[in-house]
Amino acid sequence: MNSSSPSNILLEAKNLHLDYPIRLYAHTGLRDAFIEATKHPWEFFMRSPENLPILKGVDLEIHRGDRIGLIGVNGAGKSSLCRILCGMIRPNIGSVTTHGEVEAIFDVGTGILPELTGRENAYLLARLFFKTRDVPKDIVEEALAFSELGPFLDAAFKTYSKGMQARLVLSLISSTPSNILILDEVFDGADVFFKDKIAARMMSKIERSDAVVFVSHGPDQILQLCNRVIILSQGTVIFDGPPEEGVKKYLAMPSQAFGQR
Amino acid sequence: MQLKEWQLIWYQSVDLTFATLKSRYRKTLAGFVWVLLNPIIMFGVQSTVFRTFLKLEIRDYYLFLVSGLIPWVFMSQTIQMGTPSILSSSSLLKAFKLHPLVLVTSSVLDNLFNFLFAIALIIIPVIQFSESGFNGNIFLAPLFLLPFVIGTFAMTCFFSLLNVFYRDTNFVLGFAFSILFFLTPIFYPASYVPENYRWMIELNPFYHLISPFRACLYPTENGNLAILFAKGMAWSLGLSAVTIYYWRKKRNELFIAL
């Protein structure tokens, strides 16, 4: 399944570099900026911001059939990498070439217009998330039925609990398979009873999708779902191989790796 | 960006706008009336104060005022309502791939609808009852709105992004608009401004974006329509260029600042 012939490459990322200016964390309002500009005019206008490197040369190929578990300590660059792969942000250096649509979900507790009902939000979300105007009605209706929200579907989305919001969003996004699917720690929201049910549905979506990148901290989930593991540490790939070996290596990593750059 | 991506942004913006309009006007027509209340009250108060109290000697003052005031109200409302649009949807933008421009565009379109209603329900009746009445130039109005719409959109994009990094942007904008209202020839004609203050008018983008539209409705001393239009377009494209530069520079930082 894991063939490396060129026709099976769904996504190719080359030499990805990403950094953010540290200055960002300094002030949050025009008022603060004004105070700083009058207090230290030279530094304010002349100083160029220091850059904090997030990714330092990541190469990645995703093949048809890949179930990639992306692991790494907090701050290793996992989410930034996923955001680059799906096109939300652009790398400072490097490029991403895709053959197929990339669908990525980073948070499931989000409605688009909280004043509208759950049902209306689902239809709108379907159009925005699947990037098409003609999402078949029965797909959305099936997802709504699966969410088991019943009469709550016609209540305003803003009245939903976190768990109910997650049910609605997860039911909807797991309704159709995708070319390349990126899931960034998305199972946390739904309650325990629903978790098994949605997990089964998500699993079925994962099986039907061409390739999946799965960000998680749970080794069990990784071993259960993935056929390839990538460990990201301090902005570089330090391991790319079979899941068992990868998880073992990850668990043996020194904990102080966080924050050292 | 490719044409396909722009198309997607446009479709998504339109869908979001209709959903927003639906949520606003869901219960009654009252929400719709509410939107028009602001310009109507502004117009009523200002026409009384400037014409009756201050006795400004301007021919056909109601038409003169309405043709500048309604665009001004729309422009300042659009910018101030659109400025928080990215920040207030930060969880949505971080949840999945949605171009931030969709939120800004949708907010501008929403206000553009209100503006078109205001033209139909306020401006047209005023023209009807004015001394000068309808003139042929009114058919140019849709075209002459172009610099106005482009300029407003560009500024809304600019400030919505600035607001992500400087969260009191809208507060400062509110202050700026209250000052600019007096510095922009809205309730007085540009010809009232003495020669040595003219530069303030010439450097005021709001004046240049509004005056082509106004000149179509109100036959003015402003001169050549083509020159007004050209100046308006130049300003709107200039503002767009600044905005595009700023977006390109900041698009990545957006996601960590949100």
Side-chain angles (χ1 to χ4, degrees):
Chain A
M1 212 171 159
N2 200 350
S3 147
S4 56
S5 77
S7 62
N8 275 329
I9 294 177
L10 292 175
L11 184 148
E12 203 173 358
K14 277 191 191 137
N15 192 29
L16 300 178
H17 283 265
L18 179 73
D19 38 53
Y20 289 134
I22 286 178
R23 163 179 50 103
L24 265 176
Y25 313 106
H27 44 71
T28 54
L30 289 168
R31 178 172 166 268
D32 299 335
F34 173 75
I35 292 170
E36 205 180 314
T38 38
K39 257 168 79 181
H40 312 286
W42 179 256
E43 283 88 347
F44 185 81
F45 291 107
M46 302 318 259
R47 175 200 59 188
S48 57
E50 245 180 274
N51 282 329
L52 180 70
I54 308 290
L55 296 177
K56 298 182 274 196
V58 171
D59 292 292
L60 182 65
E61 273 183 9
I62 298 179
H63 306 100
R64 195 177 297 278
D66 272 357
R67 306 283 174 258
I68 300 173
L70 182 59
I71 49 183
V73 293
N74 299 114
K78 302 188 294 293
S79 290
S80 292
L81 177 59
C82 291
R83 293 211 152 101
I84 290 179
L85 295 182
C86 75
M88 274 166 95
I89 58 182
R90 289 183 189 167
N92 297 90
I93 310 173
S95 64
V96 177
T97 322
T98 53
H99 308 281
E101 280 290 324
V102 184
E103 280 173 14
I105 187 98
F106 297 87
D107 178 15
V108 292
T110 187
I112 294 164
L113 292 171
E115 291 81 25
L116 291 181
T117 66
R119 187 186 304 276
E120 287 164 332
N121 265 293
Y123 275 97
L124 193 56
L125 182 63
R127 285 177 157 199
L128 298 188
F129 184 74
F130 297 119
K131 304 190 190 86
T132 165
R133 298 200 107 182
D134 31 54
V135 183
K137 197 170 180 239
D138 42 316
I139 285 187
V140 182
E141 287 300 328
E142 186 273 334
L144 290 174
F146 184 86
S147 73
E148 291 180 356
L149 287 168
F152 288 106
L153 286 173
D154 295 309
F157 188 83
K158 64 180 173 192
T159 62
Y160 285 21
S161 67
K162 271 276 167 214
M164 289 161 76
Q165 295 178 346
R167 275 185 186 218
L168 188 70
V169 176
L170 279 172
S171 301
L172 188 72
I173 61 164
S174 54
S175 56
T176 57
S178 49
N179 291 132
I180 305 164
L181 176 66
I182 299 174
L183 300 168
D184 191 343
E185 300 179 49
V186 292
F187 285 116
D188 305 342
D191 60 53
V192 182
F193 173 73
F194 193 65
K195 224 168 170 174
D196 291 338
K197 198 183 157 195
I198 197 74
R201 183 177 162 99
M202 217 28 148
M203 212 72 86
S204 135
K205 168 158 177 151
I206 289 171
E207 273 160 23
R208 287 176 295 144
S209 295
D210 292 337
V212 181
V213 178
F214 192 77
V215 179
S216 178
H217 285 296
D220 297 339
Q221 273 177 329
I222 298 281
L223 289 174
Q224 188 191 350
L225 283 169
C226 304
N227 57 18
R228 179 179 167 194
V229 156
I230 291 173
I231 302 179
L232 207 56
S233 177
Q234 296 167 36
T236 49
V237 174
I238 58 164
F239 177 87
D240 185 351
E244 293 77 17
E245 205 181 315
V247 167
K248 205 180 283 174
K249 188 172 162 106
Y250 173 64
L251 293 176
M253 269 165 65
S255 55
Q256 66 268 28
F258 177 62
Q260 288 182 0
R261 282 174 190 278
Chain B
M1 244 188 318
Q2 293 170 343
L3 185 67
K4 215 180 118 193
E5 268 180 90
W6 283 112
Q7 218 172 12
L8 182 69
I9 291 175
W10 172 249
Y11 284 144
Q12 291 184 332
S13 308
V14 171
D15 286 345
L16 188 57
T17 308
F18 278 113
T20 312
L21 288 173
K22 195 176 166 189
S23 85
R24 175 154 333 126
Y25 306 128
R26 103 162 322 143
K27 294 274 151 49
T28 53
L29 267 173
F32 171 72
V33 173
W34 180 253
V35 172
L36 291 181
L37 224 47
N38 178 334
I40 288 173
I41 293 174
M42 286 274 273
F43 175 60
V45 170
Q46 289 190 24
S47 58
T48 311
V49 169
F50 296 126
R51 197 189 136 97
T52 314
F53 299 177
L54 291 177
K55 301 194 172 54
L56 285 185
E57 288 295 325
I58 296 158
R59 185 180 52 80
D60 221 350
Y61 190 68
Y62 293 118
L63 179 59
F64 172 78
L65 181 62
V66 85
S67 61
L69 183 65
I70 302 296
W72 168 267
V73 169
F74 165 72
M75 186 179 260
S76 57
Q77 266 181 5
T78 305
I79 293 174
Q80 290 187 79
M81 274 171 67
T83 294
S85 61
I86 295 180
L87 190 61
S88 64
S89 294
S90 64
S91 67
L92 189 61
L93 288 172
K94 286 199 282 191
F96 62 96
K97 188 188 174 186
L98 177 67
H99 201 291
L101 266 185
V102 171
L103 299 162
V104 186
T105 310
S106 155
S107 166
V108 172
L109 281 178
D110 180 0
N111 274 292
L112 190 61
F113 268 108
N114 299 338
F115 181 53
L116 294 179
F117 282 124
I119 290 180
L121 296 176
I122 305 172
I123 298 187
I124 292 180
V126 172
I127 297 177
Q128 183 70 48
F129 291 107
S130 68
E131 290 163 37
S132 14
F134 287 95
N135 70 75
N137 288 340
I138 198 169
F139 297 108
L140 286 172
L143 176 68
F144 277 46
L145 266 181
L146 206 60
F148 177 73
V149 173
I150 295 173
T152 306
F153 179 60
M155 282 191 278
T156 312
C157 289
F158 181 86
F159 289 119
S160 63
L161 187 56
L162 190 70
N163 187 53
V164 173
F165 301 102
Y166 300 104
R167 308 211 165 177
D168 50 1
T169 298
N170 221 15
F171 173 76
V172 176
L173 274 179
F175 177 66
F177 275 117
S178 63
I179 292 174
L180 280 166
F181 176 71
F182 292 99
L183 292 179
T184 310
I186 301 292
F187 62 87
Y188 57 90
S191 58
Y192 272 34
V193 180
E195 202 57 47
N196 50 337
Y197 288 96
R198 285 295 297 193
W199 58 271
M200 284 170 89
I201 308 297
E202 286 304 318
L203 291 177
N204 183 341
F206 298 96
Y207 170 69
H208 292 289
L209 297 178
I210 289 175
S211 58
F213 174 72
R214 177 178 230 174
C216 291
L217 305 187
Y218 183 83
T220 56
E221 73 273 35
N222 284 351
N224 196 319
L225 280 178
I227 290 175
L228 287 180
F229 183 71
K231 274 188 178 174
M233 282 311 286
W235 272 98
S236 67
L237 295 178
L239 291 168
S240 305
V242 173
T243 302
I244 290 167
Y245 172 76
Y246 189 52
W247 267 83
R248 291 220 167 138
K249 208 173 151 208
K250 293 287 187 183
R251 57 168 296 149
N252 277 2
E253 287 179 37
L254 177 78
F255 285 96
I256 38 165
L258 273 175

